[in-house]
Amino acid sequence: TGGAGTILFNNTLNGNHKLDLSAGTNSITFDNLVGNSNPLDNLTINGGLNLATTIKLTGGFVQNGANPVNLGGSITTTTGTIDLNGAVTLTGDSTLNTSAGDIRFLNPINGNNGTESLNLSAETGTIKLPETIGSTTQIGNLTILSGNLDIPTTARINLTGNFQLNGANPLNFAGEVTT
């Protein structure tokens, strides 16, 4: 846990334990594999997030605070929920996957240059999307696989590529998609 400084992980991080990180108004950066050979349990980030690698967890992932999230990698959990509370900018193709949890975004998602793809899979959970995706900078493709979808009826999704929506249950989407 840090106070108000930036936290940077340049090497691999493994371990079957819970990890809580706090960077205050700064960011936590992961540049190398997390949980690749031995997945972490739960990972909680208090501050911004810069992700350019793969994170594997057995529990949940939470990013707290209004700090920005720069997402250019993947987060996979087996039993937990993935929560991103800050505004998300896709800095590369990104995948969020949970076998038995939800995926929740509380603030807008934007691209960096309009080519980045976002793949979301919540096998038995719900995917909660924000009201706007690609409002400042479009994203490339958006693929959603979930049994349930929670999205505002006033949602606006702006893409340069394709929108794919798959689910075990009928999914209702009343928002606007522009490609």
Side-chain angles (χ1 to χ4, degrees):
T1 300
T6 299
I7 300 173
L8 172 62
F9 289 92
N10 284 324
N11 285 316
T12 58
L13 176 64
N14 288 296
N16 174 358
H17 300 283
K18 177 182 177 184
L19 180 61
D20 294 325
L21 301 169
S22 294
T25 59
N26 291 303
S27 294
I28 298 162
T29 299
F30 294 98
D31 283 335
N32 213 319
L33 300 173
V34 177
N36 189 48
S37 63
N38 189 7
L40 275 64
D41 183 22
N42 292 304
L43 178 57
T44 301
I45 304 288
N46 295 301
L49 172 65
N50 298 311
L51 179 64
T53 189
T54 298
I55 295 177
K56 292 182 182 177
L57 306 166
T58 58
F61 178 90
V62 177
Q63 178 273 325
N64 288 314
N67 301 47
V69 173
N70 296 305
L71 187 61
S74 66
I75 301 171
T76 300
T77 71
T78 53
T79 61
T81 291
I82 300 171
D83 284 326
L84 296 172
N85 293 303
V88 174
T89 298
L90 298 179
T91 56
D93 293 343
S94 301
T95 299
L96 302 181
N97 180 20
T98 178
S99 299
D102 299 332
I103 299 173
R104 298 185 289 230
F105 294 91
L106 294 184
N107 279 293
I109 301 168
N110 283 291
N112 186 48
N113 63 28
T115 62
E116 304 85 8
S117 294
L118 180 59
N119 300 299
L120 305 173
S121 176
E123 294 175 25
T124 61
T126 297
I127 295 177
K128 179 180 179 169
L129 295 176
E131 191 165 357
T132 60
I133 297 175
S135 62
T136 303
T137 303
Q138 294 173 305
I139 70 171
N141 300 311
L142 176 60
T143 302
I144 297 171
L145 173 62
S146 179
N148 298 293
L149 184 63
D150 180 2
I151 185 166
T153 57
T154 56
R156 295 189 188 282
I157 299 174
N158 296 301
L159 309 169
T160 60
N162 298 313
F163 178 60
Q164 185 174 6
L165 183 61
N166 299 306
N169 299 319
L171 298 175
N172 295 319
F173 177 75
E176 177 182 308
V177 177
T178 305
T179 60

